């Protein structure tokens, strides 16, 4: 268990808290990348940022499902989000995008905790410019943005938020609106 010692003000304790919360919910860290950026132009001139990307998987779920976290430390403070990432079927198997987004948005609103920003994206991409549009890959990303109040509350609050977020993501995977994006279960 993490020991709180006041607000989280730097990258490392925030990463540790998120990792603790996600791993306590049965997900395994499968990758961690940290970057520092110092060369900016324009309005960011003179700034520096430190960022971390965390990647989590569960052995009992398809490889097409993951949880990712992004943490960013700038001179303006910290920010973090957790994302459920689902690699869906080709676009030809999905149907029309607006109705799909409506169903997914409704499921996210009904499943994820209230009071948090939960942006979602349905990304459609072609492997090459001459590929058929119907063969486009589809990826769903559902984010939960960590509020500043949680970072001010300390490590335990962030860990609890990360744990609650991944449990909500798991419930979201059980919804028919999301299940249609998952690969078929093979016995």
């Amino acid at each position: 268990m993490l020991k709180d010692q006041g607000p989280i003000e730097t990258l490392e304790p925030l990463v540790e808290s998120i990792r603790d919360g996600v791993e306590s919910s049965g997900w395994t860290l499968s990758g961690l990348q940290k970057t520092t950026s110092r060369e900016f132009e324009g309005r960011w001139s003179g700034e520096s940022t430190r960022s971390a990307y965390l990647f989590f998987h569960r052995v009992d779920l398809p490889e097409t499902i993951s949880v990712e976290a992004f943490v960013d430390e700038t001179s303006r403070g910290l920010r973090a989000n957790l994302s459920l990432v689902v690699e869906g079927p080709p676009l030809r198997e999905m149907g029309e995008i607006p109705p799909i987004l409506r169903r997914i948005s409704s499921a996210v609103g009904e499943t994820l905790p209230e009071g948090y920003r939960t942006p979602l994206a349905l990304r459609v991409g072609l492997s090459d410019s001459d590929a058929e549009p119907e063969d486009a890959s589809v990826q769903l990303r559902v984010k939960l943005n960590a509020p500043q109040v949680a970072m001010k509350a300390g490590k335990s609050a962030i860990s609890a938020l990360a744990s609650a977020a991944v449990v909500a993501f798991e419930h979201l995977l059980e919804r028919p609106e999301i299940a249609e994006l998952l690969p078929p279960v093979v016995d």
Side-chain angles (χ1 to χ4, degrees), residues 25-163:
S25 297
W27 292 75
T28 302
L29 182 72
S30 53
L32 171 62
Q33 176 185 355
K34 290 183 182 180
T35 62
T36 300
S37 301
R38 292 187 179 91
E39 294 185 33
F40 293 101
E41 300 294 329
R43 72 180 191 113
W44 290 95
S45 183
E47 297 283 328
S48 68
T49 65
R50 295 187 321 135
S51 303
Y53 301 89
L54 295 86
F55 305 92
F56 300 91
H57 289 86
R58 277 199 13 202
V59 295
D60 60 329
L61 291 176
E63 288 183 15
T64 58
I65 300 170
S66 63
V67 168
E68 297 177 5
F70 172 72
V71 180
D72 198 30
E73 176 187 328
T74 70
S75 59
R76 295 182 177 136
L78 290 171
R79 64 182 174 137
N81 66 57
L82 286 142
S83 299
L84 172 66
V85 180
V86 177
E87 301 294 336
L91 185 58
R92 77 172 74 251
E93 297 176 21
M94 303 261 320
E96 295 292 317
I97 297 294
I100 292 168
L101 275 174
R102 262 191 226 77
R103 290 193 313 270
I104 291 171
S105 179
S106 178
V108 168
E110 293 170 6
T111 308
L112 266 61
E114 291 184 27
Y116 297 95
R117 284 195 58 238
T118 54
L120 64 99
L122 197 58
R123 296 179 180 177
V124 178
L126 293 173
S127 61
D128 195 280
S129 62
D130 63 355
E132 294 296 321
E134 296 81 10
D135 294 332
S137 62
V138 177
Q139 181 191 74
L140 170 66
R141 286 185 167 270
V142 178
K143 291 184 182 183
L144 187 139
N145 291 324
Q148 291 297 312
V149 67
M151 288 181 248
K152 289 178 182 165
K155 293 178 182 179
S156 295
I158 289 294
S159 181
L161 174 62
S163 179

